[in-house]
Amino acid sequence: MREICCNEITRAVRELFLGCAYRIGDDVKRAVERAKAAEERDNPMGAGILEELLENYRVAETERIALCQDTGMAVIFAEVGQDVHITGGAFEDAVNEGVRQAYTQGYLRAGVVRDPLYDRVNTRDNTPAVIHTRVVPGEHIRLLGAAKGFGSENMSRIAMLRPADGEEGVLDFIVETVRQAGPNPCPPVILGVGIGGDFESCARAAKEMTALPLDGLNPDPRYAALEEKALKEINKLGIG
């Protein structure tokens, strides 16, 4: 049985969200660079905007300032080993303390309110976080953090399709979701798609998929082909 102190969890979460705020992933940088190269000949304005994104990434990382004014809601996907004993407090309290420290010490915008409908009082430290926990074999804790921007969150959609709708129904829903979103979510737009399960697990899977490396392909060739079809149809929208 391995013991892990809550202080270690808090420290890890704090560094995780400070990293989310200040540094974009290398896979995203490479994707923006590829997009810029593709636009340079026929769309100099688009290429210029993509260069501004790349410059923003460089400034944010160098100066340690937020990449975007919307520093998002803290979402944690946690895998907790069944052979781990957490000491010094409760796991969720430790996670929320890490979020609190990151957003207050890092001077990051706190957008969470205590009651979403009536008083709407800001909690001032971006807590509570949204925490998804799985108990898995082993003696480690794995934390995946996402600072989910509210612009993208507001554009999220879910649909209950019939089995008979098939691939075409899924593809139509994906493309229509992007069309309706238009320029509202902050660029670059990364689509996460969940298929199957129930209402809750499908939405969770879609959100978790946004953290996959952009350089990779789906190991199932059928879904890899669907991703290519979706990208082709989305690019026809001309949204940018």
mmCIF file with all atom_site columns, all heavy atoms in Angstrom, residues 164-190:
data_model
loop_
_atom_site.group_PDB
_atom_site.id
_atom_site.type_symbol
_atom_site.label_atom_id
_atom_site.label_alt_id
_atom_site.label_comp_id
_atom_site.label_asym_id
_atom_site.label_entity_id
_atom_site.label_seq_id
_atom_site.pdbx_PDB_ins_code
_atom_site.Cartn_x
_atom_site.Cartn_y
_atom_site.Cartn_z
_atom_site.occupancy
_atom_site.B_iso_or_equiv
_atom_site.pdbx_formal_charge
_atom_site.auth_seq_id
_atom_site.auth_comp_id
_atom_site.auth_asym_id
_atom_site.auth_atom_id
_atom_site.pdbx_PDB_model_num
ATOM 1   N N   . ALA A 1 164 ? -30.185 3.791  -36.621 1.00 0.00 ? 164 ALA A N   1
ATOM 2   C CA  . ALA A 1 164 ? -30.334 3.834  -38.065 1.00 0.00 ? 164 ALA A CA  1
ATOM 3   C C   . ALA A 1 164 ? -29.702 5.072  -38.691 1.00 0.00 ? 164 ALA A C   1
ATOM 4   O O   . ALA A 1 164 ? -29.453 5.102  -39.904 1.00 0.00 ? 164 ALA A O   1
ATOM 5   C CB  . ALA A 1 164 ? -31.821 3.776  -38.439 1.00 0.00 ? 164 ALA A CB  1
ATOM 6   N N   . ASP A 1 165 ? -29.431 6.120  -37.877 1.00 0.00 ? 165 ASP A N   1
ATOM 7   C CA  . ASP A 1 165 ? -28.812 7.334  -38.413 1.00 0.00 ? 165 ASP A CA  1
ATOM 8   C C   . ASP A 1 165 ? -27.394 7.069  -38.896 1.00 0.00 ? 165 ASP A C   1
ATOM 9   O O   . ASP A 1 165 ? -26.905 7.748  -39.802 1.00 0.00 ? 165 ASP A O   1
ATOM 10  C CB  . ASP A 1 165 ? -28.801 8.440  -37.359 1.00 0.00 ? 165 ASP A CB  1
ATOM 11  C CG  . ASP A 1 165 ? -30.197 8.949  -37.047 1.00 0.00 ? 165 ASP A CG  1
ATOM 12  O OD1 . ASP A 1 165 ? -31.053 8.928  -37.959 1.00 0.00 ? 165 ASP A OD1 1
ATOM 13  O OD2 . ASP A 1 165 ? -30.449 9.335  -35.895 1.00 0.00 ? 165 ASP A OD2 1
ATOM 14  N N   . GLY A 1 166 ? -26.714 6.113  -38.237 1.00 0.00 ? 166 GLY A N   1
ATOM 15  C CA  . GLY A 1 166 ? -25.404 5.666  -38.699 1.00 0.00 ? 166 GLY A CA  1
ATOM 16  C C   . GLY A 1 166 ? -24.357 6.757  -38.783 1.00 0.00 ? 166 GLY A C   1
ATOM 17  O O   . GLY A 1 166 ? -24.459 7.817  -38.157 1.00 0.00 ? 166 GLY A O   1
ATOM 18  N N   . GLU A 1 167 ? -23.357 6.481  -39.635 1.00 0.00 ? 167 GLU A N   1
ATOM 19  C CA  . GLU A 1 167 ? -22.233 7.409  -39.776 1.00 0.00 ? 167 GLU A CA  1
ATOM 20  C C   . GLU A 1 167 ? -22.683 8.760  -40.310 1.00 0.00 ? 167 GLU A C   1
ATOM 21  O O   . GLU A 1 167 ? -22.205 9.810  -39.869 1.00 0.00 ? 167 GLU A O   1
ATOM 22  C CB  . GLU A 1 167 ? -21.180 6.807  -40.707 1.00 0.00 ? 167 GLU A CB  1
ATOM 23  C CG  . GLU A 1 167 ? -19.974 7.703  -40.921 1.00 0.00 ? 167 GLU A CG  1
ATOM 24  C CD  . GLU A 1 167 ? -19.000 7.139  -41.933 1.00 0.00 ? 167 GLU A CD  1
ATOM 25  O OE1 . GLU A 1 167 ? -18.228 6.229  -41.575 1.00 0.00 ? 167 GLU A OE1 1
ATOM 26  O OE2 . GLU A 1 167 ? -19.032 7.623  -43.092 1.00 0.00 ? 167 GLU A OE2 1
ATOM 27  N N   . GLU A 1 168 ? -23.613 8.751  -41.247 1.00 0.00 ? 168 GLU A N   1
ATOM 28  C CA  . GLU A 1 168 ? -24.073 10.009 -41.833 1.00 0.00 ? 168 GLU A CA  1
ATOM 29  C C   . GLU A 1 168 ? -24.718 10.910 -40.789 1.00 0.00 ? 168 GLU A C   1
ATOM 30  O O   . GLU A 1 168 ? -24.495 12.125 -40.776 1.00 0.00 ? 168 GLU A O   1
ATOM 31  C CB  . GLU A 1 168 ? -25.073 9.719  -42.946 1.00 0.00 ? 168 GLU A CB  1
ATOM 32  C CG  . GLU A 1 168 ? -25.552 10.977 -43.671 1.00 0.00 ? 168 GLU A CG  1
ATOM 33  C CD  . GLU A 1 168 ? -26.500 10.668 -44.807 1.00 0.00 ? 168 GLU A CD  1
ATOM 34  O OE1 . GLU A 1 168 ? -26.715 9.483  -45.102 1.00 0.00 ? 168 GLU A OE1 1
ATOM 35  O OE2 . GLU A 1 168 ? -27.043 11.633 -45.393 1.00 0.00 ? 168 GLU A OE2 1
ATOM 36  N N   . GLY A 1 169 ? -25.496 10.311 -39.887 1.00 0.00 ? 169 GLY A N   1
ATOM 37  C CA  . GLY A 1 169 ? -26.130 11.103 -38.839 1.00 0.00 ? 169 GLY A CA  1
ATOM 38  C C   . GLY A 1 169 ? -25.113 11.716 -37.900 1.00 0.00 ? 169 GLY A C   1
ATOM 39  O O   . GLY A 1 169 ? -25.251 12.879 -37.492 1.00 0.00 ? 169 GLY A O   1
ATOM 40  N N   . VAL A 1 170 ? -24.090 10.939 -37.540 1.00 0.00 ? 170 VAL A N   1
ATOM 41  C CA  . VAL A 1 170 ? -23.034 11.456 -36.670 1.00 0.00 ? 170 VAL A CA  1
ATOM 42  C C   . VAL A 1 170 ? -22.288 12.593 -37.354 1.00 0.00 ? 170 VAL A C   1
ATOM 43  O O   . VAL A 1 170 ? -22.044 13.656 -36.765 1.00 0.00 ? 170 VAL A O   1
ATOM 44  C CB  . VAL A 1 170 ? -22.057 10.328 -36.278 1.00 0.00 ? 170 VAL A CB  1
ATOM 45  C CG1 . VAL A 1 170 ? -20.845 10.889 -35.541 1.00 0.00 ? 170 VAL A CG1 1
ATOM 46  C CG2 . VAL A 1 170 ? -22.760 9.281  -35.413 1.00 0.00 ? 170 VAL A CG2 1
ATOM 47  N N   . LEU A 1 171 ? -21.935 12.377 -38.619 1.00 0.00 ? 171 LEU A N   1
ATOM 48  C CA  . LEU A 1 171 ? -21.189 13.392 -39.363 1.00 0.00 ? 171 LEU A CA  1
ATOM 49  C C   . LEU A 1 171 ? -22.002 14.678 -39.505 1.00 0.00 ? 171 LEU A C   1
ATOM 50  O O   . LEU A 1 171 ? -21.473 15.782 -39.298 1.00 0.00 ? 171 LEU A O   1
ATOM 51  C CB  . LEU A 1 171 ? -20.814 12.842 -40.737 1.00 0.00 ? 171 LEU A CB  1
ATOM 52  C CG  . LEU A 1 171 ? -19.936 13.726 -41.625 1.00 0.00 ? 171 LEU A CG  1
ATOM 53  C CD1 . LEU A 1 171 ? -18.618 14.036 -40.937 1.00 0.00 ? 171 LEU A CD1 1
ATOM 54  C CD2 . LEU A 1 171 ? -19.698 13.055 -42.967 1.00 0.00 ? 171 LEU A CD2 1
ATOM 55  N N   . ASP A 1 172 ? -23.282 14.542 -39.823 1.00 0.00 ? 172 ASP A N   1
ATOM 56  C CA  . ASP A 1 172 ? -24.134 15.724 -39.964 1.00 0.00 ? 172 ASP A CA  1
ATOM 57  C C   . ASP A 1 172 ? -24.217 16.502 -38.651 1.00 0.00 ? 172 ASP A C   1
ATOM 58  O O   . ASP A 1 172 ? -24.197 17.745 -38.652 1.00 0.00 ? 172 ASP A O   1
ATOM 59  C CB  . ASP A 1 172 ? -25.541 15.312 -40.406 1.00 0.00 ? 172 ASP A CB  1
ATOM 60  C CG  . ASP A 1 172 ? -25.588 14.864 -41.859 1.00 0.00 ? 172 ASP A CG  1
ATOM 61  O OD1 . ASP A 1 172 ? -24.613 15.110 -42.595 1.00 0.00 ? 172 ASP A OD1 1
ATOM 62  O OD2 . ASP A 1 172 ? -26.600 14.247 -42.254 1.00 0.00 ? 172 ASP A OD2 1
ATOM 63  N N   . PHE A 1 173 ? -24.321 15.775 -37.536 1.00 0.00 ? 173 PHE A N   1
ATOM 64  C CA  . PHE A 1 173 ? -24.420 16.453 -36.241 1.00 0.00 ? 173 PHE A CA  1
ATOM 65  C C   . PHE A 1 173 ? -23.134 17.195 -35.899 1.00 0.00 ? 173 PHE A C   1
ATOM 66  O O   . PHE A 1 173 ? -23.170 18.335 -35.408 1.00 0.00 ? 173 PHE A O   1
ATOM 67  C CB  . PHE A 1 173 ? -24.737 15.438 -35.138 1.00 0.00 ? 173 PHE A CB  1
ATOM 68  C CG  . PHE A 1 173 ? -24.801 16.050 -33.766 1.00 0.00 ? 173 PHE A CG  1
ATOM 69  C CD1 . PHE A 1 173 ? -25.882 16.827 -33.389 1.00 0.00 ? 173 PHE A CD1 1
ATOM 70  C CD2 . PHE A 1 173 ? -23.756 15.872 -32.869 1.00 0.00 ? 173 PHE A CD2 1
ATOM 71  C CE1 . PHE A 1 173 ? -25.930 17.410 -32.130 1.00 0.00 ? 173 PHE A CE1 1
ATOM 72  C CE2 . PHE A 1 173 ? -23.801 16.454 -31.614 1.00 0.00 ? 173 PHE A CE2 1
ATOM 73  C CZ  . PHE A 1 173 ? -24.889 17.226 -31.243 1.00 0.00 ? 173 PHE A CZ  1
ATOM 74  N N   . ILE A 1 174 ? -21.994 16.585 -36.156 1.00 0.00 ? 174 ILE A N   1
ATOM 75  C CA  . ILE A 1 174 ? -20.708 17.231 -35.881 1.00 0.00 ? 174 ILE A CA  1
ATOM 76  C C   . ILE A 1 174 ? -20.578 18.524 -36.680 1.00 0.00 ? 174 ILE A C   1
ATOM 77  O O   . ILE A 1 174 ? -20.242 19.589 -36.139 1.00 0.00 ? 174 ILE A O   1
ATOM 78  C CB  . ILE A 1 174 ? -19.537 16.272 -36.208 1.00 0.00 ? 174 ILE A CB  1
ATOM 79  C CG1 . ILE A 1 174 ? -19.528 15.079 -35.255 1.00 0.00 ? 174 ILE A CG1 1
ATOM 80  C CG2 . ILE A 1 174 ? -18.199 17.019 -36.149 1.00 0.00 ? 174 ILE A CG2 1
ATOM 81  C CD1 . ILE A 1 174 ? -18.544 13.991 -35.655 1.00 0.00 ? 174 ILE A CD1 1
ATOM 82  N N   . VAL A 1 175 ? -20.832 18.441 -37.979 1.00 0.00 ? 175 VAL A N   1
ATOM 83  C CA  . VAL A 1 175 ? -20.668 19.604 -38.848 1.00 0.00 ? 175 VAL A CA  1
ATOM 84  C C   . VAL A 1 175 ? -21.658 20.706 -38.473 1.00 0.00 ? 175 VAL A C   1
ATOM 85  O O   . VAL A 1 175 ? -21.308 21.894 -38.426 1.00 0.00 ? 175 VAL A O   1
ATOM 86  C CB  . VAL A 1 175 ? -20.823 19.203 -40.330 1.00 0.00 ? 175 VAL A CB  1
ATOM 87  C CG1 . VAL A 1 175 ? -20.753 20.435 -41.229 1.00 0.00 ? 175 VAL A CG1 1
ATOM 88  C CG2 . VAL A 1 175 ? -19.738 18.199 -40.723 1.00 0.00 ? 175 VAL A CG2 1
ATOM 89  N N   . GLU A 1 176 ? -22.901 20.335 -38.171 1.00 0.00 ? 176 GLU A N   1
ATOM 90  C CA  . GLU A 1 176 ? -23.902 21.328 -37.796 1.00 0.00 ? 176 GLU A CA  1
ATOM 91  C C   . GLU A 1 176 ? -23.541 22.005 -36.476 1.00 0.00 ? 176 GLU A C   1
ATOM 92  O O   . GLU A 1 176 ? -23.786 23.211 -36.298 1.00 0.00 ? 176 GLU A O   1
ATOM 93  C CB  . GLU A 1 176 ? -25.279 20.673 -37.696 1.00 0.00 ? 176 GLU A CB  1
ATOM 94  C CG  . GLU A 1 176 ? -26.406 21.600 -37.266 1.00 0.00 ? 176 GLU A CG  1
ATOM 95  C CD  . GLU A 1 176 ? -26.626 22.779 -38.201 1.00 0.00 ? 176 GLU A CD  1
ATOM 96  O OE1 . GLU A 1 176 ? -26.138 22.758 -39.354 1.00 0.00 ? 176 GLU A OE1 1
ATOM 97  O OE2 . GLU A 1 176 ? -27.303 23.742 -37.777 1.00 0.00 ? 176 GLU A OE2 1
ATOM 98  N N   . THR A 1 177 ? -22.950 21.250 -35.555 1.00 0.00 ? 177 THR A N   1
ATOM 99  C CA  . THR A 1 177 ? -22.513 21.833 -34.282 1.00 0.00 ? 177 THR A CA  1
ATOM 100 C C   . THR A 1 177 ? -21.454 22.910 -34.515 1.00 0.00 ? 177 THR A C   1
ATOM 101 O O   . THR A 1 177 ? -21.512 23.998 -33.931 1.00 0.00 ? 177 THR A O   1
ATOM 102 C CB  . THR A 1 177 ? -21.958 20.741 -33.350 1.00 0.00 ? 177 THR A CB  1
ATOM 103 O OG1 . THR A 1 177 ? -23.005 19.819 -33.034 1.00 0.00 ? 177 THR A OG1 1
ATOM 104 C CG2 . THR A 1 177 ? -21.419 21.335 -32.059 1.00 0.00 ? 177 THR A CG2 1
ATOM 105 N N   . VAL A 1 178 ? -20.511 22.624 -35.392 1.00 0.00 ? 178 VAL A N   1
ATOM 106 C CA  . VAL A 1 178 ? -19.468 23.610 -35.705 1.00 0.00 ? 178 VAL A CA  1
ATOM 107 C C   . VAL A 1 178 ? -20.072 24.810 -36.427 1.00 0.00 ? 178 VAL A C   1
ATOM 108 O O   . VAL A 1 178 ? -19.713 25.963 -36.161 1.00 0.00 ? 178 VAL A O   1
ATOM 109 C CB  . VAL A 1 178 ? -18.349 22.962 -36.544 1.00 0.00 ? 178 VAL A CB  1
ATOM 110 C CG1 . VAL A 1 178 ? -17.300 24.005 -36.924 1.00 0.00 ? 178 VAL A CG1 1
ATOM 111 C CG2 . VAL A 1 178 ? -17.699 21.817 -35.791 1.00 0.00 ? 178 VAL A CG2 1
ATOM 112 N N   . ARG A 1 179 ? -21.006 24.550 -37.343 1.00 0.00 ? 179 ARG A N   1
ATOM 113 C CA  . ARG A 1 179 ? -21.631 25.657 -38.076 1.00 0.00 ? 179 ARG A CA  1
ATOM 114 C C   . ARG A 1 179 ? -22.357 26.597 -37.121 1.00 0.00 ? 179 ARG A C   1
ATOM 115 O O   . ARG A 1 179 ? -22.245 27.824 -37.233 1.00 0.00 ? 179 ARG A O   1
ATOM 116 C CB  . ARG A 1 179 ? -22.609 25.108 -39.112 1.00 0.00 ? 179 ARG A CB  1
ATOM 117 C CG  . ARG A 1 179 ? -23.164 26.190 -40.050 1.00 0.00 ? 179 ARG A CG  1
ATOM 118 C CD  . ARG A 1 179 ? -24.371 25.702 -40.814 1.00 0.00 ? 179 ARG A CD  1
ATOM 119 N NE  . ARG A 1 179 ? -25.523 25.500 -39.937 1.00 0.00 ? 179 ARG A NE  1
ATOM 120 C CZ  . ARG A 1 179 ? -26.276 26.486 -39.463 1.00 0.00 ? 179 ARG A CZ  1
ATOM 121 N NH1 . ARG A 1 179 ? -26.004 27.755 -39.758 1.00 0.00 ? 179 ARG A NH1 1
ATOM 122 N NH2 . ARG A 1 179 ? -27.302 26.216 -38.669 1.00 0.00 ? 179 ARG A NH2 1
ATOM 123 N N   . GLN A 1 180 ? -23.101 26.034 -36.170 1.00 0.00 ? 180 GLN A N   1
ATOM 124 C CA  . GLN A 1 180 ? -23.822 26.862 -35.212 1.00 0.00 ? 180 GLN A CA  1
ATOM 125 C C   . GLN A 1 180 ? -22.871 27.627 -34.286 1.00 0.00 ? 180 GLN A C   1
ATOM 126 O O   . GLN A 1 180 ? -23.151 28.764 -33.899 1.00 0.00 ? 180 GLN A O   1
ATOM 127 C CB  . GLN A 1 180 ? -24.773 25.997 -34.383 1.00 0.00 ? 180 GLN A CB  1
ATOM 128 C CG  . GLN A 1 180 ? -25.976 25.478 -35.147 1.00 0.00 ? 180 GLN A CG  1
ATOM 129 C CD  . GLN A 1 180 ? -26.977 24.795 -34.241 1.00 0.00 ? 180 GLN A CD  1
ATOM 130 O OE1 . GLN A 1 180 ? -27.008 25.018 -33.031 1.00 0.00 ? 180 GLN A OE1 1
ATOM 131 N NE2 . GLN A 1 180 ? -27.817 23.940 -34.813 1.00 0.00 ? 180 GLN A NE2 1
ATOM 132 N N   . ALA A 1 181 ? -21.766 26.998 -33.950 1.00 0.00 ? 181 ALA A N   1
ATOM 133 C CA  . ALA A 1 181 ? -20.794 27.655 -33.058 1.00 0.00 ? 181 ALA A CA  1
ATOM 134 C C   . ALA A 1 181 ? -20.142 28.847 -33.744 1.00 0.00 ? 181 ALA A C   1
ATOM 135 O O   . ALA A 1 181 ? -19.885 29.885 -33.122 1.00 0.00 ? 181 ALA A O   1
ATOM 136 C CB  . ALA A 1 181 ? -19.737 26.662 -32.607 1.00 0.00 ? 181 ALA A CB  1
ATOM 137 N N   . GLY A 1 182 ? -19.868 28.697 -35.040 1.00 0.00 ? 182 GLY A N   1
ATOM 138 C CA  . GLY A 1 182 ? -19.261 29.788 -35.799 1.00 0.00 ? 182 GLY A CA  1
ATOM 139 C C   . GLY A 1 182 ? -17.959 30.259 -35.167 1.00 0.00 ? 182 GLY A C   1
ATOM 140 O O   . GLY A 1 182 ? -17.121 29.450 -34.748 1.00 0.00 ? 182 GLY A O   1
ATOM 141 N N   . PRO A 1 183 ? -17.786 31.578 -35.037 1.00 0.00 ? 183 PRO A N   1
ATOM 142 C CA  . PRO A 1 183 ? -16.539 32.115 -34.483 1.00 0.00 ? 183 PRO A CA  1
ATOM 143 C C   . PRO A 1 183 ? -16.577 32.284 -32.964 1.00 0.00 ? 183 PRO A C   1
ATOM 144 O O   . PRO A 1 183 ? -15.659 32.870 -32.401 1.00 0.00 ? 183 PRO A O   1
ATOM 145 C CB  . PRO A 1 183 ? -16.449 33.482 -35.165 1.00 0.00 ? 183 PRO A CB  1
ATOM 146 C CG  . PRO A 1 183 ? -17.881 33.901 -35.291 1.00 0.00 ? 183 PRO A CG  1
ATOM 147 C CD  . PRO A 1 183 ? -18.664 32.640 -35.561 1.00 0.00 ? 183 PRO A CD  1
ATOM 148 N N   . ASN A 1 184 ? -17.625 31.793 -32.306 1.00 0.00 ? 184 ASN A N   1
ATOM 149 C CA  . ASN A 1 184 ? -17.781 32.064 -30.873 1.00 0.00 ? 184 ASN A CA  1
ATOM 150 C C   . ASN A 1 184 ? -16.727 31.400 -29.988 1.00 0.00 ? 184 ASN A C   1
ATOM 151 O O   . ASN A 1 184 ? -16.230 32.037 -29.060 1.00 0.00 ? 184 ASN A O   1
ATOM 152 C CB  . ASN A 1 184 ? -19.184 31.654 -30.420 1.00 0.00 ? 184 ASN A CB  1
ATOM 153 C CG  . ASN A 1 184 ? -20.262 32.542 -31.015 1.00 0.00 ? 184 ASN A CG  1
ATOM 154 O OD1 . ASN A 1 184 ? -20.112 33.756 -31.064 1.00 0.00 ? 184 ASN A OD1 1
ATOM 155 N ND2 . ASN A 1 184 ? -21.332 31.947 -31.506 1.00 0.00 ? 184 ASN A ND2 1
ATOM 156 N N   . PRO A 1 185 ? -16.375 30.125 -30.188 1.00 0.00 ? 185 PRO A N   1
ATOM 157 C CA  . PRO A 1 185 ? -15.323 29.553 -29.339 1.00 0.00 ? 185 PRO A CA  1
ATOM 158 C C   . PRO A 1 185 ? -13.959 30.104 -29.741 1.00 0.00 ? 185 PRO A C   1
ATOM 159 O O   . PRO A 1 185 ? -13.694 30.349 -30.915 1.00 0.00 ? 185 PRO A O   1
ATOM 160 C CB  . PRO A 1 185 ? -15.418 28.047 -29.621 1.00 0.00 ? 185 PRO A CB  1
ATOM 161 C CG  . PRO A 1 185 ? -16.024 27.946 -30.970 1.00 0.00 ? 185 PRO A CG  1
ATOM 162 C CD  . PRO A 1 185 ? -16.955 29.118 -31.108 1.00 0.00 ? 185 PRO A CD  1
ATOM 163 N N   . CYS A 1 186 ? -13.093 30.309 -28.758 1.00 0.00 ? 186 CYS A N   1
ATOM 164 C CA  . CYS A 1 186 ? -11.764 30.857 -29.038 1.00 0.00 ? 186 CYS A CA  1
ATOM 165 C C   . CYS A 1 186 ? -10.953 29.893 -29.897 1.00 0.00 ? 186 CYS A C   1
ATOM 166 O O   . CYS A 1 186 ? -10.950 28.693 -29.652 1.00 0.00 ? 186 CYS A O   1
ATOM 167 C CB  . CYS A 1 186 ? -11.020 31.119 -27.732 1.00 0.00 ? 186 CYS A CB  1
ATOM 168 S SG  . CYS A 1 186 ? -11.793 32.367 -26.694 1.00 0.00 ? 186 CYS A SG  1
ATOM 169 N N   . PRO A 1 187 ? -10.246 30.404 -30.900 1.00 0.00 ? 187 PRO A N   1
ATOM 170 C CA  . PRO A 1 187 ? -9.407  29.544 -31.728 1.00 0.00 ? 187 PRO A CA  1
ATOM 171 C C   . PRO A 1 187 ? -8.105  29.208 -31.015 1.00 0.00 ? 187 PRO A C   1
ATOM 172 O O   . PRO A 1 187 ? -7.690  29.945 -30.116 1.00 0.00 ? 187 PRO A O   1
ATOM 173 C CB  . PRO A 1 187 ? -9.149  30.407 -32.966 1.00 0.00 ? 187 PRO A CB  1
ATOM 174 C CG  . PRO A 1 187 ? -9.209  31.816 -32.439 1.00 0.00 ? 187 PRO A CG  1
ATOM 175 C CD  . PRO A 1 187 ? -10.249 31.797 -31.359 1.00 0.00 ? 187 PRO A CD  1
ATOM 176 N N   . PRO A 1 188 ? -7.442  28.137 -31.412 1.00 0.00 ? 188 PRO A N   1
ATOM 177 C CA  . PRO A 1 188 ? -7.877  27.171 -32.411 1.00 0.00 ? 188 PRO A CA  1
ATOM 178 C C   . PRO A 1 188 ? -8.927  26.221 -31.833 1.00 0.00 ? 188 PRO A C   1
ATOM 179 O O   . PRO A 1 188 ? -8.832  25.831 -30.663 1.00 0.00 ? 188 PRO A O   1
ATOM 180 C CB  . PRO A 1 188 ? -6.589  26.416 -32.750 1.00 0.00 ? 188 PRO A CB  1
ATOM 181 C CG  . PRO A 1 188 ? -5.794  26.458 -31.491 1.00 0.00 ? 188 PRO A CG  1
ATOM 182 C CD  . PRO A 1 188 ? -6.097  27.789 -30.871 1.00 0.00 ? 188 PRO A CD  1
ATOM 183 N N   . VAL A 1 189 ? -9.918  25.871 -32.635 1.00 0.00 ? 189 VAL A N   1
ATOM 184 C CA  . VAL A 1 189 ? -11.000 25.012 -32.162 1.00 0.00 ? 189 VAL A CA  1
ATOM 185 C C   . VAL A 1 189 ? -10.571 23.550 -32.244 1.00 0.00 ? 189 VAL A C   1
ATOM 186 O O   . VAL A 1 189 ? -10.146 23.078 -33.293 1.00 0.00 ? 189 VAL A O   1
ATOM 187 C CB  . VAL A 1 189 ? -12.277 25.242 -32.987 1.00 0.00 ? 189 VAL A CB  1
ATOM 188 C CG1 . VAL A 1 189 ? -13.361 24.253 -32.567 1.00 0.00 ? 189 VAL A CG1 1
ATOM 189 C CG2 . VAL A 1 189 ? -12.769 26.663 -32.805 1.00 0.00 ? 189 VAL A CG2 1
ATOM 190 N N   . ILE A 1 190 ? -10.669 22.864 -31.118 1.00 0.00 ? 190 ILE A N   1
ATOM 191 C CA  . ILE A 1 190 ? -10.378 21.436 -31.055 1.00 0.00 ? 190 ILE A CA  1
ATOM 192 C C   . ILE A 1 190 ? -11.683 20.726 -30.731 1.00 0.00 ? 190 ILE A C   1
ATOM 193 O O   . ILE A 1 190 ? -12.313 21.003 -29.710 1.00 0.00 ? 190 ILE A O   1
ATOM 194 C CB  . ILE A 1 190 ? -9.308  21.131 -29.991 1.00 0.00 ? 190 ILE A CB  1
ATOM 195 C CG1 . ILE A 1 190 ? -8.002  21.840 -30.339 1.00 0.00 ? 190 ILE A CG1 1
ATOM 196 C CG2 . ILE A 1 190 ? -9.097  19.623 -29.858 1.00 0.00 ? 190 ILE A CG2 1
ATOM 197 C CD1 . ILE A 1 190 ? -6.954  21.762 -29.253 1.00 0.00 ? 190 ILE A CD1 1
#
